[in-house]
Amino acid sequence: MKSNLTYLKKLELFKELDNFKDGQFFAIVDVKAKNHLPQWIQFSPHVFWLKNPEEEKNLETYGQALEFFLRQGISRGSTLYAFGGGATTDFAGYVAATILRGIKWVAVPTTLLAMIDGSIGGKVAVNMPQGKNLVGSFHMPEKVFICGDFLTSLPEKEWMSGKGEVLKYGFLSEEIHKLIVSKTSIEDIAMACANFKNIVVERDFKENGERIYLNLGHTLGHAFEYTLKIPHGHAVAMGLKYMFKIMGLHEAHSQWEVMVKALALPAEKFEISYFSKFDINTFSDYLEQDKKKLDSRLRLVLVKNIGICYVEEVALKDFKAKIHAYGEFKS
Ligand SMILES: NC(=O)c1ccc[n+]([C@@H]2O[C@H](COP(=O)([O-])OP(=O)(O)OC[C@H]3O[C@@H](n4cnc5c(N)ncnc54)[C@H](O)[C@@H]3O)[C@@H](O)[C@H]2O)c1
């Protein structure tokens, strides 16, 4: 199963959307994307707005959204639109997956991270107090409209987060690696990343095989995200760097440095020493929550060469011991 990805300019997107102007149009929108949208959507009574999507990606707001759309007369034939970053598309996708036993949905990602990752692949979810994305489903969007014009208002830290996830693709695909090191435009790199993920998902929708490679950098990345409270892609970039260092993958680490430079990312912000507080116990305990864990073994995605990854299973307790022994984690 694969999403229908369309790359378009804002005016072309508006033309698409205008087809629904006089009919029923239901949407969940991040308020930070509001000014990018046509006036009729900005004032539509059928829009459920999210002010802080990551904080609202929970069961309480999910219940409010269900009630809102049922009151507005949503039906089995309706389509739900999602405009926002990955937190909004995850949330809206889960609403679409479950309301009236599932309706169609369309994703319009508005952050770089959502364009290359979050909105593609049909994994939809809400967070629980026990952890992120613990309640969810697989529900593929009918379409994903990717419009780089939304990125003009993206703050620096969200650019950095998106580019952090781009780094991951640079290890998974030789073609994307070449685009990065030759400093191709970020729009073209983003398109290549989105297409790459779409193809992997088509071959392995339910993650029984190669989709696990998309988890590269995420085992430590999720732990950094939780411990340091930093954006997802920033944490993934750190997850890649420290996985390579801990596992002694020197060539992969030097490629990480080459790509960080080519993407004009600030290398010092990916060092543990950059952060004033880092609690090694919170960090290593978080690894227990890794969803890719089998019994008490972690499934680490590692890099052999650019474009060639593999999975290595390690006992959680051995990996935790490695982390505790690694110098930079102690400081
Ligand atoms: N389903 C998946 O496969 C998948 C994959 C990766 C990440 N995710 C999820 O995606 C989320 C992270 O995605 P994200 O980084 O896009 O987070 P996000 O949706 O929280 O957006 C990041 C910030 O950017 C703001 N924003 C959105 N669009 C903007 C715009 N055009 N201009 C200015 N600000 C804008 C948001 O309000 C937010 O403050 C997490 O919840 C993660 O779990 C899901």
Side-chain angles (χ1 to χ4, degrees):
M1 207 184 288
K2 187 174 168 191
S3 279
N4 180 347
L5 305 188
T6 309
Y7 301 92
L8 69 193
K9 301 300 286 176
K10 208 186 248 183
L11 282 180
E12 296 168 311
L13 174 65
F14 280 19
K15 247 179 149 179
E16 269 299 319
L17 296 170
D18 280 350
N19 292 326
F20 305 96
K21 197 173 180 175
D22 302 319
Q24 276 199 327
F25 177 84
F26 298 96
I28 296 182
V29 186
D30 179 336
V31 289
K32 296 216 185 69
K34 184 175 181 176
N35 292 338
H36 286 286
L37 298 177
Q39 291 261 320
W40 69 266
I41 297 183
Q42 294 189 25
F43 295 104
S44 165
H46 300 306
V47 173
F48 185 85
W49 296 96
L50 296 176
K51 287 200 187 93
N52 293 299
E54 191 62 49
E55 278 91 85
E56 291 165 295
K57 185 183 155 185
N58 58 35
L59 282 184
E60 192 188 346
T61 315
Y62 163 75
Q64 290 164 1
L66 295 181
E67 283 199 32
F68 174 84
F69 289 117
L70 291 171
R71 271 201 312 271
Q72 298 288 328
I74 203 162
S75 70
R76 300 265 345 241
S78 305
T79 298
L80 181 64
Y81 278 73
F83 298 87
T88 302
T89 53
D90 271 10
F91 177 84
Y94 188 57
V95 170
T98 46
I99 197 164
L100 302 170
R101 296 202 184 87
I103 63 168
K104 290 182 191 164
W105 75 292
V106 171
V108 188
T110 64
T111 63
L112 177 58
L113 190 119
M115 288 177 192
I116 63 171
D117 191 7
S119 68
I120 297 162
K123 280 190 187 174
V124 296
V126 293
N127 301 329
M128 294 295 288
Q130 291 77 6
K132 270 172 68 81
N133 301 325
L134 292 184
V135 172
S137 180
F138 286 91
H139 190 49
M140 200 62 121
E142 287 289 303
K143 290 178 189 162
V144 182
F145 288 122
I146 300 184
C147 171
D149 296 334
F150 282 103
L151 300 176
T152 51
S153 57
L154 208 61
E156 191 48 40
K157 76 169 183 167
E158 302 305 337
W159 271 109
M160 202 164 103
S161 176
K163 286 182 181 179
E165 195 79 47
V166 165
L167 276 180
K168 173 191 83 179
Y169 288 102
F171 288 101
L172 296 178
S173 150
E174 225 181 326
E175 182 207 331
I176 297 174
H177 181 265
K178 277 192 194 135
L179 293 176
I180 295 172
V181 296
S182 62
K183 300 187 183 169
T184 307
S185 75
I186 193 72
E187 285 79 8
D188 287 349
I189 295 174
M191 253 191 258
C193 295
N195 288 339
F196 181 87
K197 178 166 180 184
N198 208 22
I199 289 167
V200 171
V201 169
E202 182 186 22
R203 293 196 291 237
D204 180 22
F205 184 45
K206 289 273 171 104
E207 198 168 313
N208 299 313
E210 66 178 298
R211 192 168 178 172
I212 193 168
Y213 295 137
L214 297 173
N215 198 44
L216 177 65
H218 285 62
T219 302
L220 295 182
H222 283 141
F224 280 125
E225 189 175 353
Y226 177 75
T227 317
L228 299 171
K229 310 286 177 245
I230 53 176
H232 180 75
H234 185 163
V236 169
M238 290 183 71
L240 289 166
K241 177 187 168 84
Y242 284 100
M243 182 63 90
F244 299 152
K245 284 187 134 187
I246 292 168
M247 300 303 283
L249 302 179
H250 306 298
E251 180 50 29
H253 184 255
S254 68
Q255 282 305 323
W256 183 93
E257 287 181 326
V258 168
M259 287 195 280
V260 160
K261 204 165 173 201
L263 288 167
L265 282 164
E268 71 285 358
K269 293 191 179 168
F270 302 106
E271 302 280 343
I272 293 174
S273 56
Y274 178 78
F275 299 89
S276 53
K277 279 189 201 139
F278 176 74
D279 181 20
I280 176 75
N281 293 319
T282 312
F283 181 83
S284 74
D285 286 352
Y286 192 84
L287 296 173
E288 316 253 350
Q289 297 196 20
D290 192 289
K291 288 204 284 293
K292 309 293 181 286
K293 196 173 61 159
L294 283 179
D295 301 323
S296 52
R297 299 179 73 75
L298 285 174
R299 303 188 72 205
L300 304 179
V301 182
L302 300 173
V303 175
K304 185 160 185 241
N305 285 313
I306 296 296
I308 304 175
C309 292
Y310 61 101
V311 175
E312 190 169 304
E313 278 191 23
V314 294
L316 179 62
K317 69 169 179 24
D318 294 344
F319 191 61
K320 280 173 82 169
K322 245 182 179 353
I323 285 174
H324 280 272
Y326 188 73
E328 285 182 67
F329 283 95
K330 286 183 192 158
S331 54

